[in-house]
Every structure is written in C-alpha cells, then in structure tokens.
Amino acid sequence: MTLLAQAPAGLGNPAIDYHAIAPELVLAGTAFAVLLLDVFLRRQRKWYAMPLSFAGVLGSLIAALTLIGERHETFGGTFVVDNYALLFKVFFLTTALVILLLSLRYFREGRYYQGEYYFLLLCSFVGMLTMPSSRELLMLFISLELVSAPAFLMAGLRKTDPRSNEAALKFFLISVLSTAIMLYGMSLIYGLTGTTKLAGIAEALAGPIGQSNLALAAILFVVAGFAFKVSAFPFQFWAPDTYEGSPIPVAAFLSVASKAAGFAGLLQLMFVAFLPRADFWTPIFAVLSLFTMTLGNLIALQQRQVVRMLAYSSIAQAGYMLLPFALAGNSAAVNRDAFAATVLYILIYGVMNLGAFAVVIGLAREAPGALISDFNGLSRRNPAAAFALTVFLVSLAGIPPLAGFWAKFFVFKAAITSGRALGAWLAIAMVVNSVISLVYYFGIVRAMYFEPVAEPVRTLRIPPLVAAVIGLALIGVITIGVFPPLFTRFPGISTLIGR
Amino acid sequence: MNGWEQSAITLATFLPAAGAVVIALVPGDRDRFVRSLGIVFTGAALVVGIVMLFGFDYGARDGLQFELNASWISAISARYHVGIDGISLPLFELTLLLTFLCAIYTYRILPSPGRPKAFLALMLLLETGMAGTFIAFDLVLFFIFWELVLVPMYFLIGIWGSANREYAAIKFFLYTLFGSVFMLLGFLAMFFKSNPHTFDIIDLQKFGAMGGFTRGIQLLVFAGVFLGFAVKVPMWPFHTWLPDAHTEAPTVGSVLLAGILLKMGTYGFIRIALPILPDAARVWAPIIGVLAVIAIVYASLACLAQKDLKRLIAFSSVGHMGFVMLGIATLTDIGVNAAVFGMVAHGIITGMLFFAVGSIYDRYHTRQIADIGGGMLQKLPLLAGIFTFTAIASLGLPGLAGFWGEVTSLLSSYSPSNLLVGAGHLTLFRALMVFGGIGTVLTAGYFLWMLQRVNLGTVPEGWRDQALPDVTRTEILAWAPLLVGILILGIFPRLVFGTTNDAVTALVRVFSG
C-alpha cells in the first residue's frame, strides 16, 4: 500500500485519494464479503446476506456523508467528488437501503439465489456511485457498464419463468447494441478532440472541431447509448418486458436507481462536455422528450398489469426528465434552471416511485401477477396501504400538494422561463401528457376504492420492512409536497454547471 | 391583536385540514363521535370566520386585511401570502358557512356506503382547498389550493355518488385538471414576464395596471388562464362535466360543488385575469359576454328538457353562472359587483336547492320528475314549501336573493365599460342584455313548470299510501341559515354590495379609461 502511494507520479501511478473513493471501496468490499459469506451459509440462512449488505451500504453512506462540503479529485482529475456527485451518491445509497428492505422477504420466500442477488445488486450500486464522479469518457463507460451488467443477471433471476428469461435476454441484447454504438461515438470523440476528459471535450467542441459532421455524429451515438439506459424513445422497448419479467424489487431498482444513474451520466455529458454544441442536440432532446412521454403515457393507458403499467409510466416520466435538456443553450441562468429541474425530478421521482413499487411488493405474496384487478377493494383490505398507494399515484400524476407536483412545476418553470417558443410548446405537451397520465394512475385508485371486494373481507398484511418503506416514502412525499424547500434546495447547490 | 390579525385566515383555512387528519386518525368505528367532530371542526372554522367579520374594516378603500406574507419557497420566490378584501370576504364566509351546514346535515344523513370517517375527512380537506383559494394572494399558493379540491371531490362523487358515479368522478377530475394545467402555464408566463419576477397577485396587479405586459403576451396568457377558469365556472362549451358531476354526486357534494367550487372559476377571472391582464381582458370581454349569454339561453332550454330533477338544478347552475360571467364581461364596477353578488346568492340558493332535491330523493328514492308525479305540497307540505321558496328565489323573484345579481348584471351590460364602448361593442352588449333578459323569462318558465309538475296536482296512486316523513329536525337546522340568508340578502342587498363595492371599484379602475 505504502509503496503504491509513494510511487512517482511520472510512472502513471498517481496518488490515490482514498477518502474520495471510500464509499465505493466500502461498498465493493461488502459485495465480495457477501459473495464469500454465501458459500458458508446453510440454505435457511442465506438471507443473512441482506443484513450484511445493509450494514455495508450504511457504512458507505456514512463514508459519503463525511465527504460533504469537500471537493476531492483523484486519478488525475478523472474522478471528482463534489456536491453534484455527493448528491447523487447519497441518493443512490438511500435507494440501495430501500431496495434491500424491499428485497428481503421477496427473495427469501421465492428461494432465489440470495447471495448472488445481493452481490450483484451491490456491484451495480458501485457503478452508480462512480457514475456522477466520472469526469471522463472511459470512467463514464465503465460506470455505466458496471451498473448494467449485474442488472442483466438480476433481471433473469426467476430462472424457471420464461418471462424472466425473456426479460434478461431482451435487456442484454438491446443494451449491448446501444453500448456498441455509444462506444463507437466515444472513440470518435477521442479521435477528434484528443481527450477523454469532459472539460477538455467541451473546449475542443467550442472550436472548429465542433463544427464537423463527424463530431455531431459522435454526439448522436453517445446520446443513443444513454437514451437506452434511461429508456427513452426509441430505445424503450426493453423496459416493459424486462420490468414485468424481473423480480419486482429488481424492477423497482431498474426504474429508479438504474434510470437515475443513466441521467447522472447524461447530465454531465450534455451540460458539460457537449454544451458548446447545444444548438445541435437540443432539438434531438426535444423530440426524444416529446415522443418518450407521449408514447409512454399512451401505451400505459392499455395496461392491465401493474408492474407493466409502472414501466410505461416510468418511460413517460423519463420523458419529463429529458425535457429540460432541450432548453440548454448559451444562457447560464437557463442552463442552471434546466439542470436543477432534471435533478430535482429524479430525486422526487425516486421517492414516489419506490413508494408505489413498495406497495406492489407488499401485495406480491398473494398476487404475484400484480394485475390491476388484484388491487380491487384494497381500501377495505388494508386502508393504510390503499391510502399510501393513492398518495404515490396522485403524486406521480403531479397533483398538488404532493411532491410530484413540484417536480413537474420546476420543469414547467424552466421551460417557460427559458423564453423560447420551443420551451413553451414542450411545456404544453407535458401538461397534456400529465392529464393523460391521470387516467391510468387513477385506474388503480378506482380499483382500490370503487371496486367491490369479496365478502368476508380478508385483511391484507404487509411485511414490516416493506411497510416501513411505504411509511417513509409516504412521509417524504407529503412533507416535500407541503414544504418543498426541503428538497428544492438540493439541485441548486450543485456547482457542476454555471461556473 | 396583531397576532390574531395575521393568523385568523390561516386558522380558519387550516382548521378543517387539521380536522381531516384528526378524524382520519380516530381509531375504530365510532360513528356518532366522528360526525360530531365534523361539526366541531367546521364550526370552529366558522366561528373564526364570524369573528373576522366583526374585525373587518368595511370602510377601507383599498388593500388587504388580515394579511400575512411569509416566506415559503425561496427558490422560486413563492410566498405564503394570504389576505382578505371585500371581494374575498363574502366568498370566504360562504365557504365556511356552507361546509358547516353540510357537516350538520351529515350528522344524520349519509348515503351508502356510509363510512363517515372517510366522508368527513374528505369534506374537510375540500373545505381547506375551497377556502384557501379565496384568500391566497400568491399564484403558486392559489394553484395549490385550487387543485387541492380535486382529489377529495373525486372520491366524494366516486364513492358516495349515485349509479353513474365513476364516470362522473373521473370526468370531473379530467376536465378541471385539463383546464388548470394550462392555467399553471399561464401563471408561469406571468412570473417570467413580470419584472421583478414575482408570483404575488398584488404586485402582478400593479405591474399589469402599469402596462407591464405587452399585448401579445397578455392575449396568450389570458388564453391559458381562461381555460382553467372557464372549465371551472363552467362556461359554455366547457360545461359538460357539470351535469354529470352534480347529478351523480351525493347531496353534500352537489351542494359544495354548486355552492362554492364553481365560484372559484369566476373568482379567478375577477381576481387574476382581469386586473393582471387588462388589455387582454378588453379583447376577450365580448367573447366572454357572448359565451355567457349562450350559457344562459342554452341552459334554460336544456332545463326545459330535463326529466331528472337533480340534473335540472345542475343545468340551471350553468345559466346562473352565465349571468355572473356576463357581469364580469362588462368590465364595470356595477357588473363585477353584480357578479360577486350573483356568486353569493347562487351559492346559497342552489346549495339549498340541492339540499332539497337530496331530501326529496331520500323520500321518494327517485329523482325522475315523472315518477314523483306531483302532489308534493299535499304529501310533504313543509319540504314542498321550502322547495318552492328556494326555486322562486332561484328564478330571480324581486325581494329574494336571486334577483339582485341577475338584474344588476343585465343592467351593467346596458352600459359596459367605456373601453368596450370605444371598441364598438356597445350594440353587442345591449343585444346580450336582451338575450339575457329572454333567458330570465325562460328561467322563470322552467322553474315554474318544474314546481307545477312536482308540487302541484294530486298525489299519485303509488305514493298515496306510503308514509313519507316530512322535513326532519336536522334538515331544518342545516337549512335555516340558508333560507334566512335568501330572504335577508333579498331585502338588504347592501350586505354584500356594501362589502364588495370598494374593492371592486379599485379593481376595475384600470378599465375606466
């Protein structure tokens, strides 16, 4: 260890700031400990992996919290810990805690490969932690793959179910395709600009190189790769099948954490590296956003299966998150607003969507198919769960005074105050979409409250850990809704842009 | 005293919301206790409201009273700015009164499937949203209150409504939401185009009066907020949600829908659209006037064709709100005064009408006029008497509350604002007055015809031997304030006009040029 630290910088072994990568180290260590532990556990005790993972994530979270207010750079400036990175790291780690809580009972009862699952989950989260810190194309690529690769396996964990196999395979094939395109784009960018650092790319693109068609094609390719990750149109095909086939906690993971990771990378690429050519890519994002939200909403209307519906809903929500990208340009103030709007949307979406998935997981034991009709009369079988799910769905639809409204509000505000006609039109498209989304969100509410339930009413019991998650998300959604400054100040502190 | 001044409005507005939480947390199935809690909380809010009536300075020419302007969301400079003036006061008090009466009514009467806890919690939440809309002086805050009514009303209709309730509930929700999201975009545009950026309604009014917004922006923004308000009013042709929602809703839901929710739309026009966007208002006024009169005539014709008693009352609301909108469209102090008076009178009268129709349904278990078949004056003399009295008030008989709003509104359209006259709209508005006048005749026609078919004649075979109970004590308790109110406002219209006039005059000053 000491040898390594003392090695001269010229040898290409730069000093490593271990404090900066402490969260990742703790998490990666835990992941291997979990894998190792699994070998020595008897079948009935395999679930011990979950408390161990939980402790590891908690440790990682504490490590991340010790970094607050500091700025670290390591690996020659390719890995940066600033408040932007920390914001996402804390968000990812909190999400990880929630996913772990949701997973325990589901995987224990399902007799899945628990040790492997927790190992893969933690690995994926390591990738998420490095994502917002990556200020260089290779780091970004590695992070993205580290997020994705374990997810293929997790999606296929229900090995005996053909739908789960299909889920994993579809996910894998489309992912590989988009990764190849993205990697090609990255290589072009390196060839053109001579650097893989985001800031360096921005400088080069601002010059004559940025005018070349090749540069534009490269940007397009890289965007395509990330569009897959955030399940944007036309790369959204995998999401519904994959979500439906995966174990439900994995679907929750994919729709919140994995998607947020994609956005964490995309935000850096677009608002830092490619910003000089915003004039070229903002129309692309306008189209991406418009089609993603509209398509997601219209298809969600047809769904009978809740996880599938939530998958399309999450596609539509990704469309809303993409909207602010289309506003980027020369004005630092507009960029800051747009950037903050997307970040805030991701954070709030995470809270409310995890809440909704938690309720679905709560029902999973008796309704593994998670059809909307399985929710019939839930208001009488478990009034608290029905109330909570109603709050999450109302929030997803963006009705005040709940958190989801503020997420949308800030996007609207960024769009209108950009002062461009494009922004106003996109805002109009988005409000129309919000109204459409109400129909399918309230399809579930309708089932829970208006549909009769067979007598005698069987009370539904929700496992305590899942109930705890539901309770926390509920408190979050309502408190943020009533007093938004709790959350709205976070995106504002990010110094990634507006320098 | 200062603390009271600042907190009175907040107290009256959020007491019901607090009550909703308390009621929701009451363990078990304590039916009576829960229903008393409903009365206690709405009553407490009403008491605060009444005390405010005495503290209100009726002589103040301008400005807000009981004002509180606290920081809320600094990131978007949205503030918790509440206050009350002569226009807000009557509507605010009406909200507190009507909800209190609904709580009394619910003490004995609750449609299937019961569940008083959920019903009252939702009703109280609804009250906070309605009351808040009339006292919010920040656009974001206004929007929050505005939307807060949607979810409770959706459930009130969807769970406790009649046969076609689910359709009516989601239709109500979608229509109003569709309108209001465009309104939100309009608000954001106001924020963006104001200098300095602000959501404060008072500041925006000042900015708008100075001509801060260009004409093009005003027209666009007006279109956005128009959609939001017009759906809520509802103005023809955005009214189609109303007959469904009002007909299917439980009695209390219809009372609050007609009594207060509709006023949020007209209030929005008066408070936000007109003063902040005066140039656009001038352009839009003739359109609004025409739509208003179409609503009057269309609604009265539709009423003539109704077979369902409740649906008839629902359609009559469209017509009455047409008179309110006509008053607003004149952009004069007389017209806007008439509008506010019309809103209060319609709230009391139509609220009472829906109570009466609800009680008629409770007796006959049908709302079809043909099935009731007449003779109610013999069968249920007291209920029929109250129904007659209210219906006659609604058709605008002089001496009762319904008269003043409509006649003043017609009067104001004889001489609309000078700005409109200057733009050559005088003939149009006089024609509108004539058609509106025809509307009043038709209104009298359908109400009298309805009374004839329901109240007069002999009791039909089927009902003759059935013992139908007349008005109960709970009903009398819940209705008495409304019945007295109809009479008093009819005799002393000054009670409302005197309150609103100064605020209205200040508000339309921008159109006097």
Side-chain angles (χ1 to χ4, degrees):
Chain A
M1 197 73 90
T2 44
L3 253 178
L4 207 67
Q6 285 163 359
L11 282 176
N13 247 345
I16 297 173
D17 181 346
Y18 286 101
H19 189 194
I21 57 170
E24 286 83 354
L25 286 179
V26 173
L27 204 59
T30 313
F32 287 106
V34 166
L35 196 60
L36 204 64
L37 175 75
D38 186 57
V39 181
F40 300 104
L41 285 178
R42 275 189 289 128
R43 202 175 170 80
Q44 288 76 18
R45 299 206 177 134
K46 292 283 189 200
W47 64 272
Y48 284 10
M50 149 43 193
L52 179 61
S53 313
F54 196 85
V57 175
L58 218 50
S60 178
L61 182 61
I62 291 167
L65 290 177
T66 61
L67 286 160
I68 283 183
E70 299 177 24
R71 187 186 158 83
H72 292 260
E73 278 189 30
T74 186
F75 301 121
T78 59
F79 188 95
V80 176
V81 179
D82 54 9
N83 39 24
Y84 169 78
L86 275 174
L87 179 62
F88 271 100
K89 282 178 206 239
V90 172
F91 172 72
F92 288 138
L93 289 168
T94 320
T95 311
L97 292 178
V98 170
I99 304 266
L100 286 173
L101 289 177
L102 294 179
S103 299
L104 179 67
R105 161 97 165 247
Y106 189 94
F107 281 90
R108 205 178 153 189
E109 288 189 345
R111 303 215 166 263
Y112 299 110
Y113 302 85
Q114 297 183 67
E116 286 84 347
Y117 166 70
Y118 291 114
F119 165 73
L120 292 168
L121 188 71
L122 294 182
C123 283
S124 190
F125 271 103
V126 173
M128 288 181 203
L129 291 189
T130 55
M131 180 79 84
S133 285
S134 310
R135 302 298 150 87
E136 189 245 9
L137 288 183
L138 279 178
M139 277 294 291
L140 268 179
F141 178 75
I142 293 170
S143 305
L144 193 65
E145 286 311 288
L146 196 50
V147 172
S148 301
F152 306 145
L153 297 172
M154 287 196 282
L157 271 181
R158 285 165 48 195
K159 272 168 72 173
T160 50
D161 186 345
R163 277 184 309 172
S164 192
N165 298 339
E166 184 191 338
L169 195 65
K170 223 171 204 169
F171 189 23
F172 173 69
L173 287 177
I174 302 183
S175 176
V176 168
L177 176 72
S178 64
T179 303
I181 299 174
M182 178 176 70
L183 205 53
Y184 183 52
M186 285 181 171
S187 69
L188 286 179
I189 286 175
Y190 176 65
L192 284 166
T193 62
T195 178
T196 54
K197 288 196 178 177
L198 299 185
I201 295 171
E203 270 171 44
L205 285 181
I209 295 171
Q211 302 304 318
S212 71
N213 289 336
L214 204 55
L216 301 186
I219 292 176
L220 202 58
F221 291 155
V222 175
V223 168
F226 276 91
F228 157 79
K229 197 72 227 166
V230 303
S231 63
F233 172 89
F235 307 98
Q236 88 291 3
F237 291 109
W238 62 275
D241 292 333
T242 305
Y243 288 15
E244 189 189 0
S246 306
I248 305 179
V250 174
F253 158 84
L254 286 172
S255 84
V256 173
S258 166
K259 180 171 290 212
F263 271 106
L266 194 59
L267 278 167
Q268 299 188 65
L269 273 175
M270 305 326 281
F271 281 94
V272 179
F274 299 154
L275 193 60
R277 288 316 315 270
D279 56 318
F280 165 70
W281 54 258
T282 46
I284 298 176
F285 273 90
V287 174
L288 278 183
S289 161
L290 184 64
F291 278 83
T292 307
M293 63 172 98
T294 313
L295 204 83
N297 274 325
L298 290 182
I299 305 181
L301 285 176
Q302 330 275 333
Q303 303 307 317
R304 295 279 166 275
Q305 207 261 350
V306 174
V307 177
R308 227 180 145 74
M309 193 212 82
L310 285 175
Y312 280 108
S313 132
S314 93
I315 292 174
Q317 302 272 348
Y320 307 148
M321 296 176 211
L322 285 168
L323 193 153
F325 286 92
L327 309 169
N330 299 323
S331 157
V334 172
N335 288 351
R336 215 169 19 241
D337 270 5
F339 184 84
T342 299
V343 173
L344 182 70
Y345 206 113
I346 294 167
L347 299 182
I348 290 180
Y349 165 78
V351 179
M352 56 193 184
N353 216 40
L354 281 176
F357 266 107
V359 179
V360 179
I361 291 171
L363 257 79
R365 181 193 257 180
E366 66 165 60
L371 298 175
I372 293 182
S373 54
D374 291 332
F375 287 75
N376 284 358
L378 188 65
S379 66
R380 302 201 38 211
R381 304 186 50 208
N382 188 331
F387 172 75
L389 184 53
T390 306
V391 169
F392 299 136
L393 293 171
V394 171
S395 177
L396 280 166
I399 312 272
L402 297 172
F405 166 69
W406 296 107
K408 287 208 168 90
F409 181 89
F410 276 81
V411 175
F412 293 148
K413 179 168 169 285
I416 296 285
T417 54
S418 72
R420 292 165 56 194
L422 176 71
W425 283 113
L426 285 174
I428 289 175
M430 181 163 157
V431 297
V432 173
N433 265 292
S434 305
V435 178
I436 296 174
S437 72
L438 185 82
V439 177
Y440 60 81
Y441 289 131
F442 268 63
I444 299 182
V445 175
R446 201 193 66 85
M448 292 193 296
Y449 284 92
F450 300 168
E451 289 294 334
V453 55
E455 300 283 346
V457 177
R458 290 172 302 123
T459 317
L460 174 83
R461 292 180 58 83
I462 292 200
L465 288 184
V466 177
V469 170
I470 297 174
L472 286 176
L474 186 67
I475 293 171
V477 167
I478 294 177
T479 1
I480 298 166
V482 175
F483 196 67
L486 281 179
F487 251 47
T488 51
R489 64 197 191 85
F490 287 137
I493 59 175
S494 170
T495 46
L496 186 66
I497 67 158
R499 281 165 299 168
Chain B
M1 192 60 199
N2 206 10
W4 159 253
E5 288 265 318
Q6 290 199 333
S7 55
I9 290 182
T10 309
L11 197 62
T13 308
F14 286 100
L15 257 176
V21 175
V22 171
I23 287 179
L25 293 179
V26 171
D29 217 16
R30 276 180 272 177
D31 193 333
R32 288 286 150 223
F33 176 62
V34 164
R35 295 192 198 208
S36 335
L37 273 183
I39 298 180
V40 167
F41 277 101
T42 51
L46 180 63
V47 168
V48 176
I50 290 174
V51 176
M52 279 171 64
L53 273 180
F54 291 106
F56 190 80
D57 176 7
Y58 297 89
R61 294 244 148 248
D62 226 334
L64 297 178
Q65 305 187 31
F66 296 97
E67 189 176 7
L68 174 61
N69 193 348
S71 103
W72 181 34
I73 315 172
S74 51
I76 49 170
S77 56
R79 302 180 62 78
Y80 180 77
H81 187 188
V82 296
I84 210 158
D85 68 356
I87 299 173
S88 297
L89 186 69
L91 298 166
F92 187 66
E93 301 289 342
L94 177 70
T95 309
L96 300 179
L97 175 69
L98 265 185
T99 327
F100 173 64
L101 300 180
C102 286
I104 294 183
Y105 187 80
T106 307
Y107 191 72
R108 288 282 172 210
I109 301 154
L110 186 62
S112 131
R115 291 161 82 180
K117 217 155 80 174
F119 187 88
L120 284 167
L122 289 167
M123 191 183 89
L124 287 168
L125 202 58
L126 183 69
E127 181 179 8
T128 293
M130 297 186 299
T133 310
F134 296 126
I135 47 90
F137 278 84
D138 179 282
L139 289 179
V140 179
L141 190 63
F142 176 89
F143 187 78
I144 301 276
F145 282 126
W146 173 279
E147 297 279 84
L148 188 58
V149 304
L150 294 183
V151 176
M153 189 48 92
Y154 168 81
F155 281 113
L156 285 184
I157 299 175
I159 298 180
W160 289 272
S162 44
N164 204 11
R165 55 182 178 267
E166 286 180 22
Y167 169 75
I170 196 73
K171 189 172 179 183
F172 158 79
F173 204 147
L174 285 177
Y175 264 67
T176 33
L177 187 67
F178 186 80
S180 56
V181 289
F182 282 98
M183 181 177 88
L184 178 64
L185 293 187
F187 288 175
L188 284 167
M190 286 184 195
F191 169 81
F192 175 53
K193 291 291 176 182
S194 60
N195 190 15
H197 295 333
T198 179
F199 281 116
D200 192 279
I201 294 181
I202 300 292
D203 292 347
L204 284 169
Q205 284 180 355
K206 286 183 191 138
F207 188 73
M210 290 186 321
F213 300 106
T214 63
R215 201 180 131 95
I217 292 296
Q218 288 198 31
L219 288 174
L220 267 178
V221 174
F222 199 99
V225 296
F226 174 85
L227 262 182
F229 298 145
V231 170
K232 199 86 169 184
V233 171
M235 291 177 70
W236 186 90
F238 305 104
H239 67 279
T240 60
W241 64 268
L242 181 139
D244 289 316
H246 283 211
T247 312
E248 303 302 332
T251 301
V252 165
S254 310
V255 169
L256 294 178
L257 257 176
I260 300 156
L261 249 73
L262 307 188
K263 277 73 195 174
M264 290 163 57
T266 39
Y267 174 80
F269 275 110
I270 297 176
R271 175 67 72 207
I272 294 170
L274 257 49
I276 299 181
L277 308 162
D279 294 342
R282 267 162 48 197
V283 179
W284 278 80
I287 304 170
I288 293 176
V290 170
L291 292 179
V293 171
I294 292 179
I296 296 172
V297 177
Y298 170 86
S300 47
L301 292 176
C303 281
L304 281 170
Q306 295 307 315
K307 298 188 172 73
D308 183 319
L309 200 55
K310 204 172 178 189
R311 212 174 165 81
L312 189 153
I313 308 291
F315 261 112
S316 82
S317 284
V318 178
H320 286 124
M321 294 315 276
F323 282 105
V324 174
M325 287 313 298
L326 180 62
I328 293 173
T330 63
L331 305 180
T332 58
D333 52 349
I334 304 179
V336 176
N337 271 319
V340 181
F341 194 97
M343 285 150 75
V344 176
H346 178 259
I348 297 180
I349 296 172
T350 309
M352 185 57 232
L353 273 177
F354 275 117
F355 269 136
V357 170
S359 291
I360 293 173
Y361 178 79
D362 284 343
R363 270 73 176 177
Y364 287 93
H365 298 288
T366 177
R367 295 188 310 245
Q368 298 298 318
I369 297 174
D371 293 347
I372 296 171
M376 198 164 76
L377 266 174
Q378 292 171 19
K379 192 76 193 168
L380 303 165
L382 193 50
L383 182 55
I386 290 173
F387 190 50
T388 311
F389 173 75
T390 321
I392 286 180
S394 187
L395 67 80
L397 189 79
L400 296 178
F403 172 71
W404 295 106
E406 301 193 357
V407 82
T408 340
S409 160
L410 288 175
L411 207 65
S412 68
S413 80
Y414 182 76
S415 55
S417 156
N418 287 336
L419 291 173
L420 293 173
V421 176
H425 295 308
L426 184 61
T427 333
L428 173 71
F429 272 89
R430 292 203 172 153
L432 292 180
M433 184 185 80
V434 173
F435 284 108
I438 295 173
T440 54
V441 178
L442 288 171
T443 306
Y446 69 74
F447 267 121
L448 291 175
W449 193 37
M450 174 194 82
L451 288 176
Q452 184 193 338
R453 284 180 292 168
V454 173
N455 277 353
L456 303 182
T458 51
V459 184
E461 240 3 90
W463 299 116
R464 204 162 292 161
D465 300 328
Q466 297 208 23
L468 301 181
D470 208 338
V471 180
T472 63
R473 220 173 42 208
T474 314
E475 287 170 330
I476 282 290
L477 267 178
W479 297 350
L482 297 178
L483 297 170
V484 173
I486 293 173
L487 197 62
I488 290 191
L489 284 188
I491 301 171
F492 304 109
R494 238 187 67 84
L495 284 177
V496 173
F497 282 139
T499 312
T500 57
N501 191 40
D502 288 332
V504 168
T505 316
L507 194 122
V508 298
R509 201 173 290 141
V510 61
F511 300 109
S512 55

